[in-house]
Amino acid sequence: QTTGPQTTISAGVGFVDGSRADRGLFDQYSGIRKDSSTAALLGIDYSLRKDDPATSVEFQGSDLLGDSRELRLVWKRPGDWSLSAEYGELVHHDINQVNTGLVNPGSVAPQVSSLIGGVGTGSNFDLQTKRSKFGVVYTKTISDRMQLAVDLKSENKQGSRLFGVGMNCPTVYDPTCLGTTGINVGWATLMLPEPVDSNHSQIEVRLSYTLEKLRFNVGYYGSFYRNANSSINPTVAGNLYNPVGTLLPGSLGLLGYLNQPIALSPDNQMHQFDLSGNYDFTDKTRGLFKLAYSTASQDDNFVGVSQPGTASLGGRVNTSLVQLGVNSRPIPKLTLSGDVRYSNKDDQTPVAIYNNNAIGNTPFTNQQLSSQKTNAKLQAHWQFNSDYRGTLGVDYELIDRGTLTPTSAVAGITALREKTEETGLRAELRRQMSETFSGAMTLSTSRRDGSTWLKDNSGMGVSAVTNLADPTLVSGIFMPTLADRQRDKVRLYADWMPTKDWSVQFSAEEGTDKYTTPSVYGLRDTRMNQFSLDWSYAVSFRLNLNGYVSKGLQTFNQARTGGYLMSFENNSTTVGLGFTAKPTSQLEMGGSLSYVDDTSKYAQTLDTTADAYSVASLAASGGLPDIVLRQTVLKLFGKYALDKKSAVRVDFVHQKSSYNDWAWGYNGVPYTYSDGTTLSQQASQSVSFVGITYIYQLP
Amino acid sequence: EEPVAKDAATCLSCHDTDDLPDMAGTAHGVRPNPPPMKAAAAALASRTMGDVRNSRSPTCFSCHGTSDQHANKPDNVEKQSKPDKTFTKKFGHVTTVQADERSRVCQSCHDGDSKRALWVGSQHQAANVACNDCHQVHTARDKVLKKASESEVCYACHKEQRTQLNKLSHHPVVEGKMTCSDCHNVHGSSGPKLVKRDSINDTCYTCHAEKRGPFVQQHSPVAEDCTNCHNSHGSVIPGMLKTRAPMLCQQCHTPHVSGAVGALGGQSGVFAPAAAGQAVPQITSVTNGKNVVNMWQGRSCMNCHSQIHGSNSPSFSNPLMR
């Protein structure tokens, strides 16, 4: 018996109001073209089902006339085989508006042309990238025991994204680069959009086999990245603005630096083979395993400068992984599980000197980044009775970064560690307090420390830190990713259904990280908390309401040498309300209202080492202002059935935002690149969208 | 004579298409137009669910048990008993079946799937999550299987991630263009945080392969773990950074900037003339490029260190990540 085909077409039009500046935040992923205030809406939904044998074909297309169209085909015989194909586009618009004098922006050969008319007199340029992805997945049940899956994906990415180059002429090594006050400029920052034109293809083939006690699968995964643009080659020939906005020629040395090509992401590839599965030792004990080996390589040709005889890096990284685990329920109340995971990332990239024509510099080599990582986990669950369940867990992690390459450059880093080790404990209690109320509480704590800190040896590698009173260490900064850390977290969760119509959820969590290092500088501590209340209420079988409130806090405190302490605090409140309704058999409605209030504070205070200039500067500026985002989004839809075959749907979206990120301007003064290019955001943005769609089911 | 799955027919004599209107559209039953009640049992013969010609086809009994007491309520019993195995959390039908036991019912068919090979011992299994805590079996519109609605199911527990995904800089999950399972294998994984591939970086590379390298100028925290700097669920800082540069960079690097405190172009004393109390303005015509404006505004440290993820430009001077 065949059913269908059933085909539903939806076609309509959407209108967007608001200027380009109003739509900065709205358009980020809207899929609506920035230069258009209308959008054609077209979608299709097709299905065909046969009963003998049971097969089905489904085809869906959405936003077919827009910039983010998606198409999906699924053809299958459940339990036997399935074939699915998917094509999707995704456009990402940068939230900033660009005004520039660049010639050929977004190409591999942009020409810098300073805005002699001043800021804002250039042309607008949209930074955007578009991903176009095509994928096919085929699965086949070869027998009751064997299954094959093939997954192919290919994605093109095109467009341009925020990028740039800057140069501060070195005072010692290249004095000719320095500008002369009033005559020429000796440093510059330039916004050069990165030209994006790449393809990423991935293939995964997997064969699964099932025996009575053993289930396993073997697979191959391959990743192939190809970038059509190997470098960006800017032309910087004319005048540039100095720090106070005077247009002057760039020094020859500076222009020499700025005109160097910059390598873009090189091609790379990776191959992985793996075997994973599980085995039932008994009906109460199951083992898990995974073995994997991968090799990644990068041998794209260098652009510009290279070591004679070295055309490419010849990069190769081999990674091995072994994971073994076991889960057992020796008695009905007790469940034990544990696993050990070991991975070895072996960087086989040849080490070579890459600055043999350096001007008095110490030799610079590339750096191998090998590491071995061991993770272990052991946890026990105890079912006290049908209502109580307790869990205790221990987690362990050891990262061994190996011996650091002798000539690897670690300039700007105070010290490193070869090993870090972290042990954590978790305890959880879950309780079903009644048929309608359940809750859980989780406590966790972990402690990380590591091997001896190794001090940077002037770009020539590292040497062990033996004297913590060394002034360069006392005032140094120690990486938080390697530092001793105490991490604590508590989490509460409750789920309550007071009546058959009401559902309420509550969750709260609080966590802190505290760092201990040989100096008082760098990151000292962080904190987070989050409280959420969710609810839903079925007013009637025709009307459902829901909503949530979340309030979160994130803080960190860090200090730097030279005299300031920085305290960051982010407070975020999110509120959501929603409803679905079916007032009549013909009318269906829904909507949501969300509100976000997010404030980031950057508080600076001076420590005792601060100089008088810093004291005066902070007093004069008043410190860094808060960054506040407030956004309200209203979404409504209504769908009215005209008859059994057709309906009309109306969608309405209104988004109102205010945002004041000072990264690109403050108090009317934009951050201005040396050629006069500016990026900006409109502080208050308001945009509405209305879409009307006619939905028709073909006979 | 058409083969009929008798056990399923028993159930459908009560739980017909009015009771489970969406059932036919699920992966367990493909008929799009549910047959009327009287024809339901016969129609089972050609449905995947209860298809006796397909040895892999489940029936109602496969999941719920034969449920004799439920199907045949004794006359002397006032309230009909529940089926042998119940799964839902609906009021009045809160299941007493433990999560692992509920999941085992699904695993009896789906255990051979490679994506579920590492379920036992995974974070979700350990947290007492059962398949039906996320999946709805009796509906054609299982929210967790739709890209646009999957995240709503995850938010039921992961509130912090919901907040983060609503922040300014985020992956397009809110817009329905991506979803949680694009990065996570919730059924068990070898990677941390249930990421799809064996490490966080390998998972990120599935969409951001240009960051894989290796590069002639490496950046070790980048190569080790993308989440050292990024919060992949969203951030108030562009680029989904955990912290705004230069503070982020200065958590590891000794800073090189004239003037200790942060200040912005447009603030008092940054450009000439100097503000009251200051000896000189912070930015003058001779100030070098490492000034507070270039350090705090624009792309901050990345104004100069453009290729912070790793550069393949062999440097003829200092390695600059350029």
Side-chain angles (χ1 to χ4, degrees):
Chain A
Q1 183 182 348
T2 299
T3 306
Q6 290 184 347
T7 306
T8 304
I9 303 280
S10 56
V13 62
F15 303 94
V16 193
D17 74 346
S19 65
R20 291 163 77 98
D22 269 318
R23 290 168 51 181
L25 294 172
F26 179 81
D27 276 344
Q28 196 172 182
Y29 291 113
S30 72
I32 301 173
R33 296 186 177 104
K34 288 189 92 169
D35 57 359
S36 175
S37 58
T38 60
L41 308 172
L42 180 64
I44 185 169
D45 194 332
Y46 168 90
S47 67
L48 170 66
R49 300 180 186 213
K50 294 181 180 177
D51 287 345
D52 190 13
T55 56
S56 66
V57 180
E58 290 181 359
F59 175 73
Q60 285 113 27
S62 62
D63 196 22
L64 295 176
L65 301 177
D67 268 358
S68 292
R69 60 181 61 84
E70 291 184 337
L71 295 155
R72 186 164 185 265
L73 168 72
V74 180
W75 182 23
K76 65 182 175 184
R77 185 185 179 199
D80 187 0
W81 53 264
S82 76
L83 176 68
S84 65
E86 198 166 13
Y87 175 77
E89 296 176 349
L90 176 64
V91 176
H92 177 230
H93 295 285
D94 194 287
I95 61 173
N96 298 298
Q97 288 187 294
V98 178
N99 187 272
T100 185
L102 276 173
V103 179
N104 299 325
S107 74
V108 294
Q111 298 170 41
V112 173
S113 175
S114 294
L115 295 172
I116 56 174
V119 169
T121 59
S123 303
N124 292 328
F125 178 74
D126 289 334
L127 292 165
Q128 66 176 56
T129 54
K130 179 172 187 173
R131 291 173 181 262
S132 306
K133 182 163 75 177
F134 177 68
V136 178
V137 179
Y138 175 72
T139 63
K140 169 68 181 172
T141 303
I142 298 169
S143 69
D144 281 351
R145 296 189 180 281
M146 193 183 298
Q147 192 175 33
L148 173 72
V150 180
D151 187 342
L152 305 171
K153 290 191 197 79
S154 182
E155 181 177 70
N156 289 322
K157 189 174 179 185
Q158 293 177 310
S160 57
R161 61 186 166 202
L162 186 56
F163 189 70
V165 63
M167 187 65 211
N168 186 67
C169 285
T171 55
V172 177
Y173 302 124
D174 196 358
T176 62
C177 181
L178 291 171
T180 304
T181 305
I183 304 298
N184 51 23
V185 296
W187 65 261
T189 59
L190 297 171
M191 201 284 287
L192 306 172
E194 179 187 347
V196 178
D197 186 3
S198 62
N199 173 269
H200 184 211
S201 297
Q202 298 169 85
I203 176 171
E204 185 160 12
V205 181
R206 195 160 292 281
L207 193 63
S208 306
Y209 199 82
T210 304
L211 294 164
E212 186 180 350
K213 292 187 172 183
L214 175 67
R215 290 153 291 274
F216 68 92
N217 63 86
V218 291
Y220 163 78
Y221 168 73
S223 164
F224 307 90
Y225 174 77
R226 297 291 176 266
N227 191 351
N229 299 327
S230 59
S231 64
I232 182 170
N233 301 272
T235 300
V236 190
N239 294 346
L240 298 168
Y241 285 103
N242 76 356
V244 290
T246 306
L247 205 54
L248 295 169
S251 71
L252 289 178
L254 174 67
L255 295 181
Y257 280 115
L258 295 177
N259 280 298
Q260 287 177 18
I262 308 164
L264 299 176
S265 300
D267 297 352
N268 64 64
Q269 44 280 318
M270 192 273 257
H271 309 272
Q272 184 187 52
F273 297 91
D274 68 78
L275 167 70
S276 64
N278 53 65
Y279 178 77
D280 293 334
F281 293 103
T282 68
D283 61 346
K284 293 184 172 63
T285 303
R286 170 173 284 193
L288 307 169
F289 59 90
K290 177 158 188 174
L291 305 171
Y293 177 80
S294 69
T295 179
S297 60
Q298 188 277 102
D299 51 10
D300 213 359
N301 284 340
F302 291 131
V303 293
V305 184
S306 65
Q307 171 81 1
T310 308
S312 73
L313 179 68
R316 184 169 301 278
V317 178
N318 302 326
T319 306
S320 309
L321 169 73
V322 179
Q323 181 177 7
L324 297 171
V326 66
N327 183 279
S328 182
R329 199 173 180 186
I331 56 176
K333 289 191 171 192
L334 177 65
T335 305
L336 293 168
S337 66
D339 70 63
V340 178
R341 180 185 187 277
Y342 169 78
S343 67
N344 180 13
K345 181 182 168 189
D346 184 11
D347 191 338
Q348 295 280 338
T349 306
V351 174
I353 295 173
Y354 284 98
N355 61 340
N356 75 328
N357 56 348
I359 310 164
N361 280 356
T362 50
F364 159 67
T365 73
N366 57 310
Q367 183 182 12
Q368 291 178 324
L369 295 176
S370 295
S371 66
Q372 296 175 59
K373 194 171 183 179
T374 305
N375 294 85
K377 183 172 63 181
L378 182 64
Q379 54 193 354
H381 308 285
W382 183 264
Q383 193 76 44
F384 295 98
N385 54 41
S386 61
D387 294 335
Y388 279 100
R389 183 178 193 256
T391 300
L392 281 175
V394 182
D395 299 286
Y396 173 79
E397 180 181 82
L398 170 66
I399 303 177
D400 184 347
R401 294 164 182 85
T403 305
L404 297 163
T405 311
T407 55
S408 61
V410 286
I413 298 289
T414 301
L416 295 168
R417 272 175 155 171
E418 290 182 345
K419 291 182 183 177
T420 52
E421 196 173 19
E422 182 164 13
T423 304
L425 294 169
R426 285 179 288 115
E428 183 182 271
L429 184 65
R430 290 176 178 270
R431 186 182 174 192
Q432 184 77 41
M433 281 162 263
S434 71
E435 275 211 331
T436 59
F437 190 74
S438 61
M441 179 173 73
T442 308
L443 301 170
S444 64
T445 181
S446 67
R447 171 77 190 173
R448 183 180 68 192
D449 54 22
S451 58
T452 307
W453 286 97
L454 300 171
K455 183 186 172 188
D456 173 26
N457 189 16
S458 302
M460 291 295 291
V462 291
S463 57
V465 171
T466 54
N467 177 20
L468 290 180
D470 181 337
T472 61
L473 296 176
V474 170
S475 60
I477 290 175
F478 295 81
M479 297 170 67
T481 53
L482 303 177
D484 291 358
R485 182 182 68 190
Q486 175 70 42
R487 170 169 283 182
D488 298 295
K489 194 166 188 178
V490 57
R491 185 168 190 251
L492 301 169
Y493 182 83
D495 193 344
W496 184 35
M497 288 177 284
T499 72
K500 67 178 182 178
D501 301 322
W502 273 98
S503 172
V504 181
Q505 283 183 336
F506 169 76
S507 76
E509 47 193 317
E510 166 96 26
T512 58
D513 283 354
K514 290 181 179 170
Y515 296 86
T516 308
T517 60
S519 81
V520 298
Y521 296 108
L523 188 61
R524 311 314 306 161
D525 59 72
T526 69
R527 180 185 168 208
M528 68 76 63
N529 64 41
Q530 171 92 26
F531 302 92
S532 294
L533 183 69
D534 289 50
W535 58 269
S536 66
Y537 177 55
V539 179
S540 70
F541 74 98
R542 292 186 181 277
L543 177 62
N544 276 279
L545 305 175
N546 61 75
Y548 68 90
V549 179
S550 278
K551 191 165 177 56
L553 169 77
Q554 274 188 299
T555 70
F556 71 77
N557 290 293
Q558 71 180 76
R560 55 156 281 193
T561 52
Y564 84 73
L565 307 169
M566 170 64 74
S567 169
F568 169 78
E569 181 179 307
N570 176 257
N571 279 287
S572 181
T573 302
T574 312
V575 181
L577 292 170
F579 79 97
T580 56
K582 196 163 184 182
T584 70
S585 60
Q586 290 175 297
L587 182 61
E588 188 181 340
M589 299 171 70
S592 66
L593 175 68
S594 65
Y595 174 71
V596 176
D597 185 333
D598 190 292
T599 301
S600 297
K601 295 177 182 294
Y602 297 84
Q604 298 175 96
T605 53
L606 298 159
D607 73 3
T608 54
T609 65
D611 57 25
Y613 180 78
S614 293
V615 174
S617 179
L618 185 57
S621 67
L624 293 165
D626 298 347
I627 294 178
V628 181
L629 168 69
R630 292 196 178 98
Q631 188 168 78
T632 305
V633 182
L634 174 66
K635 293 179 181 177
L636 297 169
F637 84 88
K639 184 179 173 185
Y640 185 77
L642 300 171
D643 52 45
K644 287 186 177 178
K645 294 282 187 183
S646 62
V648 173
R649 177 178 169 125
V650 178
D651 285 271
F652 174 75
V653 180
H654 179 70
Q655 179 171 307
K656 187 173 176 60
S657 317
S658 63
Y659 183 50
N660 65 339
D661 186 348
W662 37 251
W664 301 105
Y666 174 70
N667 203 23
V669 179
Y671 175 78
T672 308
Y673 286 95
S674 299
D675 63 345
T677 295
T678 53
L679 274 71
S680 62
Q681 300 153 352
Q682 185 165 291
S684 294
Q685 301 180 15
S686 179
V687 59
S688 297
F689 170 86
V690 176
I692 302 169
T693 312
Y694 177 68
I695 302 163
Y696 183 69
Q697 186 178 322
L698 297 180
Chain B
E1 185 181 352
E2 289 194 359
V4 177
K6 292 178 181 175
D7 54 357
T10 302
C11 306
L12 281 181
S13 63
C14 294
H15 299 289
D16 61 1
T17 51
D18 289 334
D19 186 42
L20 300 170
D22 266 349
M23 187 66 199
T26 71
H28 295 136
V30 297
R31 181 184 287 270
N33 287 327
M37 183 174 171
K38 288 181 181 176
L44 266 178
S46 57
R47 288 168 53 172
T48 307
M49 172 100 175
D51 184 351
V52 296
R53 287 168 297 199
N54 185 344
S55 61
R56 290 169 51 83
S57 173
T59 69
C60 309
F61 288 6
S62 307
C63 302
H64 294 285
T66 54
S67 307
D68 294 333
Q69 293 290 313
H70 172 76
N72 304 298
K73 184 174 81 67
D75 293 337
N76 59 347
V77 174
E78 186 178 341
K79 187 179 179 183
Q80 187 175 30
S81 65
K82 293 178 186 175
D84 293 349
K85 289 182 184 174
T86 57
F87 298 83
T88 62
K89 298 200 298 186
K90 289 167 87 173
F91 181 77
H93 293 283
V94 174
T95 180
T96 55
V97 182
Q98 294 299 319
D100 279 350
E101 197 174 335
R102 282 181 275 147
S103 293
R104 253 195 302 278
V105 171
C106 307
Q107 286 169 323
S108 64
C109 290
H110 294 283
D111 214 10
D113 188 333
S114 59
K115 291 176 182 171
R116 298 169 181 84
L118 303 179
W119 165 256
V120 173
S122 69
Q123 289 93 322
H124 278 142
Q125 191 263 345
N128 223 27
V129 176
C131 305
N132 75 299
D133 286 336
C134 302
H135 288 284
Q136 292 177 293
V137 176
H138 293 160
T139 176
R141 286 172 284 274
D142 186 1
K143 286 173 79 173
V144 82
L145 295 181
K146 302 285 183 187
K147 188 160 65 172
S149 56
E150 180 192 304
S151 58
E152 291 174 31
V153 177
C154 304
Y155 294 159
C157 295
H158 300 281
K159 312 295 185 190
E160 185 186 1
Q161 284 69 27
R162 178 177 63 190
T163 298
Q164 291 166 336
L165 282 160
N166 274 295
K167 291 185 182 286
L168 181 80
S169 181
H170 58 268
H171 282 118
V173 174
V174 176
E175 290 81 1
K177 297 295 183 185
M178 259 186 88
T179 191
C180 309
S181 61
D182 285 334
C183 301
H184 297 278
N185 180 355
V186 297
H187 300 115
S189 128
S190 182
K193 309 288 185 186
L194 292 178
V195 293
K196 276 176 94 168
R197 304 218 65 86
D198 295 337
S199 71
I200 287 173
N201 281 25
D202 279 342
T203 303
C204 299
Y205 296 153
T206 59
C207 291
H208 304 282
E210 73 278 8
K211 308 288 192 303
R212 187 193 297 276
F215 303 95
V216 68
Q217 296 185 50
Q218 305 250 58
H219 192 185
S220 60
V222 172
E224 183 169 294
D225 188 342
C226 302
T227 60
N228 280 331
C229 298
H230 296 280
N231 188 333
S232 53
H233 295 116
S235 159
V236 290
I237 300 155
M240 285 181 263
L241 290 172
K242 283 182 163 178
T243 309
R244 182 175 292 259
M247 286 100 74
L248 179 64
C249 310
Q250 290 174 359
Q251 288 180 357
C252 296
H253 294 275
T254 49
H256 54 190
V257 58
S258 57
V261 298
L264 311 171
Q267 287 192 311
S268 301
V270 173
F271 296 104
Q278 280 184 257
V280 292
Q282 296 192 45
I283 308 293
T284 70
S285 59
V286 296
T287 306
N288 73 21
K290 299 173 184 175
N291 60 60
V292 288
V293 173
N294 285 341
M295 189 57 74
W296 284 88
Q297 293 190 278
R299 300 178 71 214
S300 186
C301 304
M302 281 82 80
N303 283 331
C304 293
H305 303 286
S306 312
Q307 295 284 36
I308 206 66
H309 294 102
S311 166
N312 215 39
S313 288
S315 170
F316 67 87
S317 59
N318 287 318
L320 289 172
M321 303 302 283
R322 174 184 190 269

